Amino acid sequence: MLRHFAILVAALLLALPAAFGQDETDRLSAYIDTQFLSTIGELPRLAWFLPDGTVVAQDTSPGIFLYTRSNKPQLAHLRDTLSQIEMAALRPKQHVACDLAPNGEQTVASIYTTLAHAAGNNPQVLSTSKVPPDLEGGFEQATLRGRAETEVWKEMQPASADQPRQSAVIQRKGAQFFYSVAALYSGPNKEVMRTGIFLHESNGKILAAHVEDIRGTWCDGCAMPTYADGIERIYVVENMFTAPAFAYPLLMLDASTIEGRSIKLVTFTPSREFSRHLFFEYVVGCF
């Protein structure tokens, strides 16, 4: 039933024009959602590593696949399905699944064993019960140079040649396309004022871009990133996936803030429009 509902929602999102007031979040995620639904019949869900190396996931399947920093989604095996009472007791003890069914409604969650390991400060990963065909992961970070560098800063439009800036290339050997990320900083504290993510051909030519001006605060209650923090404070790359289902590589980013832990999937559509799906978990009061 849930699967059929998700497919119907995705179809409606594609059919509704912007003039009908379609929610911006749904519009941005429509492509990513549709590609997962059309290949495996489900959307990724948040899962969490526990300190003992097991994983709690929103699933009851005998086996699931975890999207981590590894080159392939990693298999996890069902150990226990949690009751509503057990799930409620897990949150304050392990500080995970913080806003999963917070109002007491029935929660579907299970504990899985896996050889995968947690990485970084965010215990979140994504999970599915199937994997899109021929999906591969892995990336390396490199310096932005050559044609790519020239085109990126032309698009970013710095105010002067000496305006503080940061950048990095996210690539994988043998991949047809790569990404670069960039930021411009200003003011006495060299705070970020513009960010950009760029899709490149192998020769460095920009195929698509998503540039944002930062206005106001970075997030509620958190400090604005500065030049000294580096580009890694703005774009925390967890992995880069490629699969025939997606026209261009799919970036997996840690987009966590003080208010919430979050994983963000980012790519571009075949017509080179920006697409993202944000998996957000509100954590205030969970610790």
Side-chain angles (χ1 to χ4, degrees):
M1 182 68 178
L2 288 176
R3 173 181 169 182
H4 292 159
F5 176 75
I7 294 173
L8 176 61
V9 168
L12 289 173
L13 286 175
L14 290 177
L16 285 174
F20 279 70
Q22 182 178 335
D23 181 80
E24 179 72 358
T25 299
D26 289 339
R27 184 187 69 80
L28 287 172
S29 70
Y31 173 69
I32 292 175
D33 294 354
T34 300
Q35 297 313 106
F36 273 105
L37 288 168
S38 65
T39 54
I40 62 173
E42 62 182 285
L43 299 179
R45 297 171 293 279
L46 280 175
W48 298 264
F49 274 102
L50 300 180
D52 64 0
T54 59
V55 171
V56 57
Q58 303 171 73
D59 213 313
T60 58
S61 301
I64 60 172
F65 294 90
L66 305 175
Y67 298 73
T68 65
R69 294 185 181 181
S70 295
N71 293 344
K72 295 279 188 182
Q74 296 175 284
L75 185 62
H77 299 279
L78 179 66
R79 191 183 75 181
D80 297 300
T81 296
L82 301 177
S83 68
Q84 188 174 1
I85 294 176
E86 290 171 326
M87 191 64 206
L90 184 71
R91 289 191 196 95
K93 182 179 179 181
Q94 303 292 358
H95 315 298
V96 298
C98 294
D99 63 358
L100 182 61
N103 297 319
E105 62 266 29
Q106 182 63 43
T107 298
V108 175
S110 302
I111 300 292
Y112 288 82
T113 58
T114 181
L115 296 178
H117 298 286
N121 297 320
N122 188 352
Q124 292 175 331
V125 290
L126 296 178
S127 73
T128 55
S129 62
K130 303 174 186 176
V131 176
D134 299 321
L135 185 139
E136 296 183 0
F139 75 97
E140 60 182 11
Q141 188 166 309
T143 302
L144 183 64
R145 292 194 174 105
R147 178 177 181 176
E149 180 181 18
T150 300
E151 293 196 8
V152 162
W153 295 120
K154 182 178 179 180
E155 291 284 336
M156 290 291 287
Q157 299 181 352
S160 65
D162 59 355
Q163 182 174 2
R165 62 194 70 186
Q166 301 271 8
S167 63
V169 165
I170 310 301
Q171 62 186 13
R172 185 167 75 237
K173 186 177 181 180
Q176 185 178 359
F177 307 101
F178 69 90
Y179 285 104
S180 67
V181 292
L184 287 170
Y185 304 81
S186 65
N189 297 322
K190 297 183 180 180
E191 295 180 339
V192 64
M193 53 84 65
R194 184 173 298 139
T195 63
I197 181 167
F198 301 88
L199 172 69
H200 299 263
E201 286 184 325
S202 57
N203 63 4
K205 177 184 177 181
I206 291 177
L207 294 177
H210 179 73
V211 177
E212 292 185 85
D213 286 326
I214 309 303
R215 298 180 175 89
T217 58
W218 182 251
C219 67
D220 188 16
C222 62
M224 189 74 77
T226 67
Y227 178 84
D229 295 326
I231 194 69
E232 293 80 10
R233 167 75 194 284
I234 297 170
Y235 293 101
V236 184
V237 181
E238 296 290 331
N239 214 331
M240 184 176 79
F241 298 103
T242 56
F246 293 94
Y248 301 109
L250 186 69
L251 285 180
M252 179 174 165
L253 308 174
D254 179 353
S256 299
T257 67
I258 290 176
E259 281 193 315
R261 292 184 294 233
S262 181
I263 290 176
K264 181 163 60 177
L265 295 178
V266 169
T267 191
F268 289 87
T269 70
S271 58
R272 299 174 186 172
E273 296 178 2
F274 182 69
S275 180
R276 71 171 179 226
H277 187 128
L278 186 68
F279 300 83
F280 182 81
E281 174 191 8
Y282 186 69
V283 299
V284 174
C286 191
F287 294 85

